[in-house]
Amino acid sequence: MRAALVLLVAEAVGGRPEVAVPGAVAVELLHNHGIVHDDVVDEDELRRGRQTVWSAYGTSTAVLAGDALASLAVAHLASIGTMPGQRALLMLLESFRCTCDGQGGDLELEQGGMCTVEEYLQMAGNKTSALVAGAAGIGAV
């Protein structure tokens, strides 16, 4: 969905979707990084009926694989080298930071932390919508 959003937004603002493909690839790579790491943090053994990376290959391998996906996402956009490519890279990195903040807040709550409704909504928004918002922004640039 996020990768498709990059392409659709590019087209919606008058761009050619094929120009936005690197952004779509980067968003998808970062999303998959998040899935691999989230499964480790939550100790989920299955995702959509299939064994998760950490449960199949171990936690260390899953963490390294997730990190590799994130670095590939960044490298993919960094290689573009144009001003729009750099703006897209900054948007991707901001989405990544927000997602990490959201995951950290979620861990804090799981450990018995307290928060207001507004703080909870901020945490949930960072976890679930930061990359969607980033995808839209990347498509626009």
Side-chain angles (χ1 to χ4, degrees), residues 6 9-10 20 22-24 26-27 77 87-89 91-92 95 133-141:
V6 172
V9 170
V27 166
L77 279 181
R87 288 176 61 200
L89 176 59
M91 289 178 181
L92 183 76
S95 297
I138 290 167
V141 298

Side-chain angles (χ1 to χ4, degrees), residues 20-109:
V21 168
V25 170
V27 166
E28 188 62 21
L29 287 166
L30 191 60
H31 171 66
N32 282 286
H33 152 271
I35 286 173
V36 171
H37 278 211
D38 191 56
D39 288 341
V40 170
V41 169
D42 293 342
E43 299 179 349
D44 291 330
E45 294 184 9
L46 296 175
R47 180 172 287 274
R48 296 190 179 108
R50 298 181 68 188
Q51 201 172 7
T52 56
V53 175
W54 81 266
S55 67
Y57 302 103
T59 302
S60 297
T61 299
V63 169
L64 291 172
D67 290 349
L69 290 167
S71 70
L72 285 170
V74 170
H76 198 65
L77 279 181
S79 70
I80 295 172
T82 64
M83 182 58 76
Q86 296 308 307
R87 288 176 61 200
L89 176 59
L90 291 173
M91 289 178 181
L92 183 76
L93 291 171
E94 178 62 14
S95 297
F96 192 15
R97 186 198 61 76
C98 287
T99 302
C100 290
D101 285 351
Q103 186 65 36
D106 189 25
L107 285 174
E108 188 176 312
L109 288 177

